């Protein structure tokens, strides 16, 4: 294998975590397979973005153009198709994000390359990638191989790989002109709407305290929220809590919610259904509080506390606050 492409994802000058995660995976593949990592950066005035990833790629190919200020899959598709045709990378990684979910399928159609989406791991066998995907809401892991092709497209689920740097690289910066003149645009960017004040992105949190149906009543969520606040963490939840309209959907962890990658995940009154665990593959240390010693969450948790959350959570919170006071 010669070269792995990753499509850099950034927004308003900020690099999205998925970029670092893909660079980590590409770096790991590069170490194993002696290939190079090229980051493809589309945007406008993106030198600081390039700077921030320059020690994680061998090459950064930059298309800097006013027309690329905001993401538009129509333009990105044309640029990527041209670049893939020219460089023939063995593999192109794209985030399985709102960007990537729009770009990857149309790029696959445009280039004729095979695409595997929402992958949670990638390996190589007989010079071809093999990817791992989840099926049936995370109940089954499937290993997928491709028919032989000149290249392969893979979208990567957020939060499944570390964000750390792997290897020590020094990227060569290559600037390319956007020679495409008349790209037929079927969509236009209208505006970027920030999430409302107070809203949080649980995929970015380092510590999540997640509340499940074991909490019993809506008003009891406050107890768990206070523990999250004491720990400087963020509150998240399982699906029944959202279904009951006790918390908003964007706080839901799991296969029909968000995949998260906190350093620490504390599950309070959550049984550990596979749909919930499907969102936890990127989590570091998992701690479970549950009164049922046979709850499936204990099979996944690194630490477990068997007991009544109404007794345990207040004690934990007080201990944390005491420790903070010194
Ligand atoms: C297509 C599909 C998609 C889904 N997607 C998701 C998803 O994205 N995320 C998700 O979370 N679920 C999802 N689900 C639902 C999932 O199957 C489970 O129903 C759900 O995860 C259960 O949530 P829970 O653990 O909070 O509740 P329960 O399974 O009811 O567990 C509650 C737990 O609390 C414990 N408990 C009760 N009282 C106490 C107490 N006082 N102290 C301590 N522990 C106590 C119990 O022992 C129990 O283990 C999905 C289901 C389907 C069919």
């Amino acid at each position: 294998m010669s070269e792995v492409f990753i499509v850099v994802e950034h927004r308003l000058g900020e690099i999205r975590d998925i970029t670092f995660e893909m660079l980590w995976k590409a770096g790991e593949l590069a170490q194993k397979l002696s290939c190079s990592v090229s980051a493809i950066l589309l945007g406008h005035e993106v030198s600081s973005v390039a700077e921030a990833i320059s020690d994680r790629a061998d090459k950064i190919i930059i298309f800097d153009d006013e027309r690329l200020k905001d993401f538009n899959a129509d333009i990105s598709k044309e640029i990527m198709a041209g670049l893939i045709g020219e460089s023939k990378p063995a593999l192109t990684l794209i985030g399985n994000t709102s960007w990537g979910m729009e770009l990857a399928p149309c790029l696959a159609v445009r280039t004729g390359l095979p695409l595997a989406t929402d992958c949670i791991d990638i390996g190589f066998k007989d010079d071809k990638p093999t990817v791992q995907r989840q099926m049936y809401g995370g109940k089954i892991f499937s290993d997928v191989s491709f028919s032989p092709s000149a290249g392969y497209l893979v979208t990567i689920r957020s939060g499944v790989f570390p964000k750390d740097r792997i290897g020590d690289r020094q990227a060569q910066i290559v600037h390319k002109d956007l020679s495409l003149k008349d790209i037929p645009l079927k969509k236009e960017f209208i505006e970027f709407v920030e999430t409302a004040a107070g809203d949080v992105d649980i995929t970015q949190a380092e510590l999540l305290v997640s509340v499940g149906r074991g909490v019993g009543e809506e008003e009891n969520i406050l107890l768990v929220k206070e523990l999250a606040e004491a720990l400087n963490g963020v509150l998240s939840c399982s699906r029944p809590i959202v279904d009951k309209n006790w918390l908003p959907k964007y706080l839901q962890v799991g296969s029909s919610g968000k995949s998260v990658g906190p350093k620490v995940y504390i599950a309070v009154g959550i049984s550990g259904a596979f749909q919930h665990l499907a969102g936890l593959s990127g989590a570091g240390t998992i701690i479970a509080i549950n009164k049922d010693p046979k709850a499936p969450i204990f099979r996944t948790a690194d630490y477990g506390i068997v007991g009544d959350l109404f007794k345990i959570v207040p004690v934990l919170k007080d201990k944390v606050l005491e420790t903070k006071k010194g």
Side-chain angles (χ1 to χ4, degrees):
M1 192 171 75
S2 54
E3 191 175 16
V4 178
F5 272 10
I6 78 118
V7 180
V8 175
E9 198 166 312
H10 57 98
R11 191 195 290 158
L12 303 175
E14 230 178 71
I15 304 174
R16 308 294 289 166
D17 281 350
I18 185 67
T19 300
F20 295 117
E21 291 158 17
M22 290 190 292
L23 283 166
W24 183 89
K25 186 65 208 179
E28 193 203 50
L29 288 171
Q31 278 182 349
K32 279 192 199 147
L33 304 162
S34 307
C35 61
S36 64
V37 177
S38 296
I40 317 304
L41 176 51
L42 315 181
H44 187 44
E45 296 174 345
V46 283
S47 51
S48 62
V49 174
E51 175 72 23
I53 56 168
S54 60
D55 56 358
R56 295 174 187 235
D58 300 296
K59 200 194 284 178
I60 302 177
I61 302 174
I62 303 177
F63 288 82
D64 190 330
D65 192 282
E66 175 83 50
R67 286 173 284 174
L68 298 171
K69 191 165 157 280
D70 300 299
F71 173 74
N72 186 318
D74 292 341
I75 308 182
S76 302
K77 173 190 70 178
E78 292 304 325
I79 297 171
M80 287 305 302
L83 202 56
I84 288 172
E86 188 184 302
S87 308
K88 307 209 168 8
L91 178 66
T92 299
L93 304 185
I94 301 171
N96 194 64
T97 56
S98 50
W99 269 37
M101 281 190 254
E102 198 182 347
L103 172 63
C106 58
L107 185 59
V109 172
R110 179 78 170 74
T111 56
L113 297 179
L115 163 68
T117 57
D118 198 18
C119 298
I120 57 169
D121 205 1
I122 311 173
F124 255 82
K125 204 176 167 196
D126 304 329
D127 285 337
K128 283 190 304 173
T130 55
V131 295
Q132 194 170 63
R133 304 179 73 236
Q134 289 181 336
M135 295 165 71
Y136 303 113
K139 203 169 193 177
I140 292 176
F141 289 77
S142 61
D143 290 318
V144 180
S145 59
F146 295 87
S147 301
S149 166
Y152 305 88
L153 306 175
V154 170
T155 70
I156 300 290
R157 180 180 292 186
S158 300
V160 293
F161 298 128
K163 292 179 274 222
D164 310 333
R165 192 178 58 162
I166 189 160
D168 197 6
R169 297 167 190 278
Q170 197 45 60
Q172 173 203 1
I173 308 281
V174 179
H175 285 274
K176 294 246 186 195
D177 285 332
L178 186 59
S179 53
L180 303 157
K181 294 270 178 296
D182 301 313
I183 304 167
L185 294 184
K186 297 189 191 76
K187 324 172 187 89
E188 69 171 313
F189 179 84
I190 297 174
E191 66 170 325
F192 179 77
V193 182
E194 283 277 11
T195 45
D199 289 356
V200 285
D201 182 357
I202 59 170
T203 65
Q204 307 295 310
E206 299 229 317
L207 191 150
L208 284 173
V209 182
S210 218
V211 58
R213 187 152 40 196
V215 78
E217 301 293 335
E218 183 176 9
E219 55 267 27
N220 298 336
I221 292 176
L222 184 63
L223 195 74
V224 184
K225 188 166 184 247
E226 283 172 353
L227 176 63
E229 282 166 3
L231 288 162
N232 299 328
V234 171
L235 182 74
S236 55
C237 64
S238 66
R239 178 160 157 176
I241 301 294
V242 174
D243 290 345
K244 286 174 191 282
N245 276 326
W246 291 353
L247 286 175
K249 176 82 179 165
Y250 61 77
L251 296 183
Q252 182 191 320
V253 173
S255 59
S256 56
K258 300 255 174 78
S259 286
V260 294
K263 287 190 182 142
V264 178
Y265 186 81
I266 307 180
V268 182
I270 291 178
S271 59
F274 68 86
Q275 292 97 342
H276 187 79
L277 301 180
L280 287 183
S281 48
T285 303
I286 299 177
I287 302 167
I289 303 171
N290 197 303
K291 68 176 183 187
D292 175 7
K294 292 204 175 111
I297 189 81
F298 288 128
R299 281 187 241 136
T300 304
D302 299 285
Y303 299 95
I305 306 173
V306 179
D308 185 348
L309 72 91
F310 296 102
K311 292 190 183 137
I312 295 161
V313 171
V315 175
L316 266 182
K317 185 194 79 181
D318 290 347
K319 271 273 169 222
V320 172
L321 292 176
E322 239 173 66
T323 316
K324 270 174 145 179
K325 269 191 206 148

